[in-house]
Amino acid sequence: MSVSLPPRRRFIQPQSGDDWPSIAARVMPDTPVEAAIEQLKSWNLFLVFRPASVITPSDILFIEPPQAPAGA
């Protein structure tokens, strides 16, 4: 029996001292920083709505939007 796994979203683990602007500049260098930050935040709402808005190296930060469901 074969199991088919769905494609994964690309992600990073932030570096120590990272913040939204440093991450945006590193992972989306061709996008204006403010636009890149807004995209990253929209893909990582669990970090945006955290009580203390701190990004840590143990976080998982998605760097692309969710995948569309198969057959959509």
Side-chain angles (χ1 to χ4, degrees):
M1 183 173 150
S2 166
V3 176
S4 176
L5 297 174
R8 297 185 314 175
R9 285 169 72 184
R10 291 184 313 136
F11 66 90
I12 63 164
Q13 284 189 271
Q15 299 171 1
S16 181
D18 262 346
D19 58 10
W20 290 110
S22 65
I23 294 168
R26 186 170 62 250
V27 301
M28 301 175 81
D30 297 331
T31 304
V33 172
E34 289 303 318
I37 291 170
E38 291 306 312
Q39 283 186 315
L40 289 168
K41 285 183 174 183
S42 74
W43 302 332
N44 295 282
L45 292 176
F46 59 95
L47 294 175
V48 174
F49 292 112
R50 177 184 278 175
S53 185
V54 176
I55 300 171
T56 70
S58 62
D59 289 324
I60 299 295
L61 195 132
F62 293 107
I63 59 171
E64 67 181 8
Q67 304 287 325

